[in-house]
Amino acid sequence: MPTLGIAPLLDAYFRRRFAAAGLVEATVPLDGGATTVHCWRFPPGPGAAADGEGDARPVLVLLHGFGPPATWQWRRQVGPLSRRFRLIVPDLLFFGGSSTTSSAAPGAGRVSEAQQAEAVAKLVAAVVAGAPARVSVAGTSYGGFVAYHVARLLGPAVVERVVIASSDLLKAADDDRALLRRGGAERVEDVMLPRSPEQMRRLLQLAYHRPRRFTPGFVLRDFVQYLYSDKVEEKKELIKGITLGNKDKFQLTPLPQDEVLVLWGEHDQIFPVEKAFEVARKLGANARLEVLKDTGHMPQEEDPKRFNEAILNFLLPAPKSSLQS
């Protein structure tokens, strides 16, 4: 990785935003040390136990999408949300500082979204051990796949509410082919794991409704080297390990939770908004859909105020606090 450039400076700044939100960095060993999950989590209060006992705020788990680590993807949420929640924000396996050598993973590092969910569930149990309150889970894009499995795995006794954002749980081979046409690529990994400034530029054009008009090639090259050069082979295996669309391994059924929110950008080019209506219907009567206008695949970045308000309005009873992005 380069020692100079804009990406390392942004990375340091985003990490400071997490720390300013009151979160502390932690590395949690799981499965006897075979799995390690890096996360940012709520700190214990003065004189409180490590699980935050004595803090009345509910627990919210934020799960990032495919791409940069959690600090890049949730940087506009941790400040406003940490005022009302005890946050747990992990890097999923093979992102950031999280990894696994568990023999439970099929293939050379191939981990499904269901196995990601198992790691998240174990992390939550380790962080909030002994806490009586239930948790809520919010996931965006690939993180939405994981959030769905976390909700099913832990059930309503542990997971109270679920937010699925920009996440096509009904994704199938036809959807992948349509994405490749929009991205001008031959393989999904060429879209989601850019290896050149040109591929990086195209990904940004797909991800944002209003991308910057021009970003210099040397900046894009810096992003590719800093954000997309680590654990490349493992991430390719993650793409191959996704079970959505494989009818032998995955069937989308309504979640057992009483309340589910589906959030989507109106102009999403990764998972078009038409799929949002299908996902919400398939998730059942307990799911409701909110489409955020003038945003693309990353509404949490393009309109963080409305995104944060949607989450707070869904997860917390009135009155709602005023928010800043």
Side-chain angles (χ1 to χ4, degrees):
M1 289 185 182
T3 56
L4 298 176
I6 189 172
L9 296 176
L10 287 173
D11 188 59
Y13 171 62
F14 298 154
R15 291 168 62 87
R16 285 198 297 271
R17 291 186 71 159
F18 271 57
L23 301 182
V24 296
E25 197 170 4
T27 299
V28 181
L30 305 171
D31 302 327
T35 298
T36 300
V37 175
H38 173 269
C39 70
W40 291 80
R41 53 152 295 180
F42 60 88
D51 61 5
E53 184 180 353
D55 190 335
R57 293 174 300 165
V59 175
L60 173 61
V61 183
L62 297 177
L63 302 176
H64 65 80
F66 211 93
T71 46
W72 286 66
Q73 298 196 39
W74 293 117
R75 65 187 186 276
R76 297 181 182 272
Q77 281 64 57
V78 290
L81 296 182
S82 65
R83 300 169 198 157
R84 305 298 299 274
F85 297 95
R86 290 178 286 163
L87 295 179
I88 303 173
V89 192
D91 286 321
L92 296 174
L93 297 177
F94 301 125
F95 297 92
S98 299
S99 62
T100 185
T101 59
S102 174
S103 59
R110 184 173 297 178
V111 173
S112 71
E113 67 276 21
Q115 288 166 309
Q116 293 273 18
E118 292 173 6
V120 171
K122 292 173 183 176
L123 172 69
V124 171
V127 172
V128 299
R134 293 185 292 174
V135 307
S136 293
V137 178
T140 180
S141 195
Y142 179 77
F145 303 166
V146 180
Y148 174 86
H149 283 283
V150 170
R152 291 203 64 84
L153 177 64
L154 296 180
V158 176
V159 176
E160 184 175 14
R161 293 181 177 90
V162 186
V163 179
I164 305 292
S166 310
S167 184
D168 184 4
L169 299 175
L170 293 169
K171 184 182 76 69
D174 286 346
D175 298 294
D176 285 343
R177 284 191 286 269
L179 172 62
L180 294 179
R181 287 194 295 271
R182 292 191 295 273
E186 295 182 358
R187 300 170 299 180
V188 173
E189 65 192 57
D190 295 331
V191 176
M192 303 310 297
L193 292 170
R195 307 302 301 148
S196 69
E198 292 75 20
Q199 289 179 339
M200 186 75 231
R201 191 184 306 277
R202 186 55 184 152
L203 177 58
L204 292 175
Q205 291 170 343
L206 289 172
Y208 290 89
H209 175 48
R210 297 183 302 274
R212 292 181 181 273
R213 290 188 177 182
F214 177 74
T215 303
F218 72 88
V219 173
L220 297 174
R221 185 176 297 106
D222 185 37
F223 284 168
V224 169
Q225 291 176 347
Y226 194 83
L227 298 174
Y228 291 92
S229 296
D230 185 43
K231 301 184 179 73
V232 173
E233 294 305 316
E234 290 89 343
K235 290 172 183 174
K236 289 180 181 178
E237 291 294 315
L238 286 181
I239 293 173
K240 296 174 184 176
I242 293 173
T243 61
L244 274 69
N246 186 330
K247 294 183 179 180
D248 294 330
K249 295 183 178 180
F250 178 82
Q251 293 288 333
L252 182 65
T253 58
L255 287 171
Q257 282 72 22
D258 291 334
E259 297 183 77
V260 179
L261 174 65
V262 178
L263 271 177
W264 220 281
E266 179 185 25
H267 300 283
D268 194 332
Q269 293 189 75
I270 302 292
F271 298 136
V273 70
E274 291 79 9
K275 298 301 296 287
F277 296 90
E278 297 180 31
V279 168
R281 283 195 297 269
K282 197 71 172 180
L283 286 175
N286 294 339
R288 66 180 178 88
L289 170 64
E290 185 165 345
V291 176
L292 299 182
K293 293 185 179 298
D294 299 319
T295 64
H297 186 62
M298 304 184 72
Q300 72 271 28
E301 290 195 21
E302 291 195 271
D303 197 338
K305 185 176 186 295
R306 282 195 298 162
F307 185 92
N308 296 345
E309 285 175 345
I311 286 185
L312 279 176
N313 290 341
F314 172 68
L315 295 178
L316 294 177
K320 312 299 185 303
S321 62
S322 61
L323 293 175
Q324 298 177 354
S325 64

